[in-house]
Amino acid sequence: MEITEVLPIKSLEEAISWKPLFESPPVIHLQNRANYSICGGDYKCHERFLTSKRLHNQGLPKTLICHDMQGGYINDRFVNGTKTSNEYTFYNWSIVDTFVYFSHHFITIPPIGWINAAHKHGVKVLGTIITEWNDGNALWLQIFSNLEKRDHLIDKLVEICKYFKFDGYLFNIENELELENIENMIETISLLRTKLKTVIIHSEVIWYDSLSMETGKLIWQNQLNNHNKLAFQACDGIFLNYNWKEEDLVKSVTNAGSRINDVYVGVDVFGRNCIGGLDCYKSLEIIRKYDLSVAIFAPGWTHETLIDKNKFTTIEDTFWRKLYPYMYIHIPSALPFSTYFCRGYGSKNHSNFGLSSLDSWYNLSKINFQPSVPLCLSDGNFHCISHVDGEAITGGGCLRLNGNNENTTYHRIFVCHFEIKSTLYFEITVKVLKPYDSHKIFLGAIDPYGMPYKMEFGVEGDNNIFFNNCDDYSCIIPNSKIYNLTLENGWLLHKLKCEMVGIIVEVAIETEEPLLIGHLFINDGNSF
């Protein structure tokens, strides 16, 4: 039987009796990232050959986003998408470590589209286990009345996670608990974490700050302290409530010890009793001062509160632009690497240079890898990079570089870590929007001795191609180079094959005029 939609599990009985369908869902495995990142505050859109300090991921503050929108399971629940438009999508994946899908049902299973979109970008996905108020208290009384039943529930949670290929759970207990069951709850968290890691080594269990492990009362602490430290010690991290003050963060740092990065400070974008909306960056500024991680709750505020959904991209970019200085940009490393820059929706659909459908569509599984920074970080009216809906090689849209009529503009597309062991295969497909437009493609690389160099190639004037016509000593011509340019349906395909041993660390384009990018492909000869 084929799965067509993903829905939550609403009761203990439903969880205990859950069985997988015969056919596994079409889920992409979590892709690798490099072991270092770049601080968003150091990132410069137009700086040639980025020299920002590379920061080892171990010890860096992390970013979790918790997606809570209209109760969950709206048009994102369908495995094969829908014929709708103006739906919420997310594309700033490079700055996210963990994505949580949230609802108010007992067991929230993340929809397939969100798992695929996140996993393509190397982002973990967690479901949610939630119990609330009197019903929640009664549910745990039932579970803890028979620990064999509790253990069976844990096994089912692991089985569900393994079947849908997501990466763990957020534990959100918003009800009181009897004192005699506090130890059982701690044991439940620990057992779930241990059993998950036996089948999904990178899995996570994160505890939400709501239940006191000293009194069993529902008391949000807004800091790491003795009321929640036992739960923190039993799992991979704690998601602090949103109503904190700076002194709460100071206490949390002291109590966390060496696990400071496992403390996720909550920021509610809806601003319920805290700073929210487009001012969320003010909270980030304080949180990062203490090297704490952050949990951004309900970032879909940028879409949910809009009357005119056509303004979504503008508001979304404004929101995240303010946060980038406090984020860490992760680096893709998995080969082969291929992207059409589609954002998982379109006013029409394309396939292999041709129009395949005139219908609007929405399917998060169709999201392609997005640029390292998919928006312009400048606050001015001129935005250097954007997404184009309706024009594509494959999918619903492509990337647009907006150029600059006054002087040539260098556009960084990716900061990356693609290890090439023998032969580089590189393809980039572009469309010029003005006749005789000149554009130059840059590949930044590091040789086996750690020395940086670059390759430059592109078009000047009337389709006159060139390769490394620069005087810069760092510009090299590789051995056995084959570089050619072909035209198909108005798109120019730059194709390079050459001998190479080293690491591609940057892909960029220089253009004076607007330019579309429809496809990018990178691979190593050893990968074939």
Side-chain angles (χ1 to χ4, degrees):
M1 185 184 298
E2 181 182 359
I3 184 171
T4 58
E5 62 179 326
V6 174
L7 294 170
I9 292 174
K10 299 180 179 181
S11 68
L12 177 61
E13 292 71 24
E14 188 182 348
I16 295 297
S17 62
W18 181 87
K19 291 182 180 179
L21 297 173
F22 296 115
E23 189 171 323
S24 297
V27 176
I28 296 168
H29 290 283
L30 183 67
Q31 296 297 294
N32 290 330
R33 287 171 156 177
N35 62 3
Y36 63 88
S37 300
I38 291 171
C39 179
D42 295 337
Y43 188 92
K44 304 293 187 294
C45 290
H46 307 297
E47 177 186 297
R48 291 171 179 269
F49 207 59
L50 190 66
T51 55
S52 299
K53 184 179 180 181
R54 292 175 181 156
L55 305 170
H56 199 280
N57 289 337
Q58 188 171 358
L60 281 184
K62 293 171 283 192
T63 297
L64 176 153
I65 60 175
C66 189
H67 179 57
D68 175 27
M69 178 175 279
Q70 297 174 336
Y73 299 101
I74 42 183
N75 283 331
D76 56 0
R77 75 183 189 271
F78 296 105
V79 174
N80 297 313
T82 60
K83 289 185 177 181
T84 57
S85 59
N86 290 326
E87 302 285 353
Y88 176 72
T89 188
F90 181 78
Y91 45 88
N92 288 284
W93 291 106
S94 69
I95 55 176
V96 177
D97 296 274
T98 304
F99 175 93
V100 178
Y101 194 82
F102 185 90
S103 80
H104 288 274
H105 302 291
F106 178 37
I107 300 170
T108 299
I109 301 171
I112 301 300
W114 284 114
I115 301 173
N116 283 333
H119 278 185
K120 285 175 188 177
H121 293 83
V123 175
K124 296 179 185 180
V125 179
L126 308 187
T128 304
I129 301 164
I130 186 170
T131 58
E132 298 176 283
W133 317 118
N134 292 336
D135 288 344
N137 176 264
L139 179 62
W140 287 109
L141 280 173
Q142 185 181 356
I143 292 169
F144 292 143
S145 68
N146 183 339
L147 291 184
E148 287 186 5
K149 179 180 284 189
R150 188 274 312 270
D151 293 346
H152 189 39
L153 172 63
I154 290 173
D155 290 340
K156 286 294 183 180
L157 289 169
V158 173
E159 192 178 352
I160 290 165
C161 198
K162 182 180 178 182
Y163 175 74
F164 286 98
K165 298 185 179 68
F166 59 101
D167 310 295
Y169 294 95
L170 170 68
F171 236 106
N172 186 358
I173 309 304
E174 298 203 53
N175 54 260
E176 295 192 350
L177 199 67
E178 283 66 22
L179 279 172
E180 60 268 24
N181 281 327
I182 289 176
E183 187 175 340
N184 286 330
M185 180 60 75
I186 299 293
E187 187 179 60
T188 300
I189 302 165
S190 181
L191 277 173
L192 176 61
R193 179 179 183 269
T194 300
K195 289 192 174 186
L196 274 172
K197 287 191 183 296
T198 62
V199 296
I200 306 168
I201 194 168
H202 61 264
S203 64
E204 294 181 344
V205 174
I206 293 178
W207 176 261
Y208 177 60
D209 160 36
S210 52
L211 176 68
S212 169
M213 290 303 187
E214 285 197 331
T215 66
K217 300 298 183 183
L218 186 60
I219 309 174
W220 294 266
Q221 298 299 310
N222 302 297
Q223 62 174 254
L224 177 63
N225 59 25
N226 288 336
H227 285 279
N228 49 37
K229 197 168 183 179
L230 286 175
F232 177 64
Q233 291 169 343
C235 65
D236 297 288
I238 186 168
F239 182 151
L240 295 184
N241 191 46
Y242 321 103
N243 305 138
W244 49 268
K245 296 179 174 60
E246 190 165 352
E247 53 263 35
D248 294 314
L249 305 191
V250 174
K251 292 175 183 176
S252 297
V253 168
T254 300
N255 290 326
S258 62
R259 292 186 61 196
I260 183 174
N261 303 137
D262 295 333
V263 178
Y264 296 84
V265 182
V267 174
D268 181 5
V269 184
F270 276 83
R272 287 161 282 210
N273 298 316
C274 63
I275 298 172
L278 297 180
D279 288 329
C280 283
Y281 74 94
K282 296 176 182 178
S283 295
L284 266 291
E285 187 176 18
I286 300 170
I287 292 165
R288 293 306 201 211
K289 186 165 74 172
Y290 296 98
D291 286 333
L292 290 161
S293 295
V294 64
I296 300 173
F297 186 78
W301 170 89
T302 55
H303 185 277
E304 190 172 342
T305 58
L306 277 180
I307 296 173
D308 182 0
K309 303 301 185 188
N310 292 316
K311 295 180 179 179
F312 164 65
T313 301
T314 300
I315 300 299
E316 177 81 351
D317 287 355
T318 301
F319 177 82
W320 288 101
R321 184 180 297 115
K322 291 172 178 284
L323 298 188
Y324 261 92
Y326 312 104
M327 297 296 180
Y328 295 90
I329 300 168
H330 293 281
I331 311 298
S333 64
L335 290 174
F337 181 85
S338 178
T339 178
Y340 294 93
F341 300 99
C342 178
R343 288 185 176 176
Y345 66 88
S347 57
K348 57 186 79 169
N349 205 355
H350 295 78
S351 178
N352 195 26
F353 294 97
L355 184 64
S356 60
S357 172
L358 290 170
D359 293 328
S360 296
W361 62 277
Y362 172 70
N363 186 343
L364 293 169
S365 288
K366 301 298 183 183
I367 289 180
N368 285 179
F369 213 101
Q370 296 299 304
S372 293
V373 179
L375 52 87
C376 184
L377 294 180
S378 301
D379 286 328
N381 293 325
F382 181 82
H383 292 161
C384 57
I385 187 170
S386 58
H387 178 262
V388 176
D389 177 25
E391 183 144 22
I393 293 173
T394 292
C398 66
L399 193 66
R400 176 184 167 114
L401 307 181
N402 292 318
N404 190 321
N405 290 321
E406 296 178 3
N407 62 313
T408 302
T409 299
Y410 183 89
H411 299 268
R412 182 174 300 100
I413 312 302
F414 286 107
V415 181
C416 49
H417 187 97
F418 297 132
E419 187 174 357
I420 309 299
K421 298 178 180 178
S422 62
T423 306
L424 169 66
Y425 291 86
F426 178 88
E427 297 177 11
I428 190 165
T429 309
V430 304
K431 179 181 281 191
V432 298
L433 300 181
K434 290 189 177 181
Y436 311 117
D437 171 43
S438 298
H439 57 275
K440 183 185 295 184
I441 296 149
F442 291 81
L443 291 182
I446 297 176
D447 71 15
Y449 304 100
M451 295 299 293
Y453 67 93
K454 62 186 176 183
M455 290 177 269
E456 299 182 4
F457 48 93
V459 175
E460 284 183 327
D462 190 12
N463 289 349
N464 296 311
I465 68 171
F466 66 86
F467 195 99
N468 285 4
N469 62 347
C470 57
D471 297 326
D472 192 333
Y473 70 93
S474 68
C475 203
I476 71 156
I477 297 179
N479 295 328
S480 304
K481 171 185 68 69
I482 301 174
Y483 170 54
N484 56 52
L485 185 69
T486 57
L487 180 66
E488 185 166 354
N489 285 22
W491 293 88
L492 294 171
L493 170 58
H494 297 265
K495 202 169 186 177
L496 171 66
K497 176 185 175 183
C498 64
E499 291 181 10
M500 178 181 171
V501 177
I503 301 167
I504 299 293
V505 294
E506 184 167 319
V507 179
I509 291 184
E510 189 174 79
T511 179
E512 295 181 359
E513 302 292 346
L515 184 77
L516 303 184
I517 308 178
H519 185 224
L520 174 66
F521 173 83
I522 303 173
N523 204 8
D524 172 38
N526 277 7
S527 298
F528 284 102

